[in-house]
Every structure is written in C-alpha cells, then in structure tokens.
C-alpha cells in the first residue's frame, strides 16, 4: 500500500488511478487505514463495512471502465436513506432504521 493516498483530492486521485500510479483498491486501503487510526477520536463513521469497501474497489480495478469518479471513495451521511445502509439520522430514536 502506498502511504498518504488519503490526502489526495478527488481530481488528483482520479488522475493517478487513470495513469496507473496506484489502484482503486490501494486508495480504499489508504482511506480505511486513516479512518481506523483517527475515528476513535473523530467519531465520523456511524457505519463502515471495510470488507465491502475493499471488495467494491477491487471489482472496479478489474473492470475496464472510464466512469467519471471511478474508484473515488465516498461517505454517505447517516440522514440519507439508502437501500443497503442503516439510516439512524444521528439519533438514538432511529437506531436500526433502514
């Protein structure tokens, strides 16, 4: 894994992925590593499925696609309803809501 990939902005990361300087999987690993180092104090993540993130990043690496944001990790705020993720709206009264 290449260190500090998590410090790149989306434009820089996308250009580096397109030029094969690193893979989507390596970018995801770097971001997940930073989250694991800091989230105990930052507490930004309500729900995180690291294995799923890595699997999706590796799947993107295997495809020959040129999507606009190919391989760029994103986070979804816990007030936005999704099909697959818990949506507690930042409140214990919505704990477990999907």
């Amino acid at each position: 894994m290449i260190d500090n990939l998590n410090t790149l902005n989306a434009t820089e990361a996308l250009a580096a992925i397109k030029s094969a300087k690193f893979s989507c999987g390596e970018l995801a690993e770097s971001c997940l590593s930073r989250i694991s180092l800091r989230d105990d104090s930052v507490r930004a993540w309500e729900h995180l499925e690291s294995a799923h993130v890595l699997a999706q990043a590796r799947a993107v690496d295997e495809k020959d696609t040129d999507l606009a944001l190919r391989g760029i990790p994103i986070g979804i705020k816990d007030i936005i309803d999704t099909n697959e993720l818990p949506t507690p709206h930042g409140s214990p009264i919505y704990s477990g809501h999907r």
Side-chain angles (χ1 to χ4, degrees):
M1 178 178 67
I2 303 169
D3 290 333
N4 299 322
L5 296 182
N6 60 286
T7 63
L8 299 174
N9 66 40
T11 303
E12 294 166 337
L14 189 58
I17 288 169
K18 285 183 178 183
S19 65
K21 291 184 179 174
F22 54 81
S23 68
C24 300
E26 289 173 313
L27 177 60
E29 287 174 7
S30 181
C31 291
L32 290 169
S33 176
R34 182 66 177 170
I35 289 168
S36 77
L37 286 173
R38 299 285 300 140
D39 203 48
D40 283 345
S41 60
V42 175
R43 301 178 54 119
W45 296 94
E46 174 72 26
H47 179 82
L48 180 64
E49 294 180 17
S50 298
H52 184 68
V53 169
L54 291 173
Q56 285 188 321
R58 291 178 182 134
V60 170
D61 283 331
E62 293 175 5
K63 293 180 183 177
D64 186 26
T65 60
D66 194 24
L67 301 173
L69 294 175
R70 179 181 181 255
I72 302 301
I74 63 165
I76 305 296
K77 181 76 175 128
D78 72 344
I79 61 169
I80 298 173
D81 287 324
T82 65
N83 228 10
E84 301 173 353
L85 301 172
T87 311
H89 302 280
S91 171
I93 66 172
Y94 291 104
S95 180
H97 175 72
R98 285 187 179 261

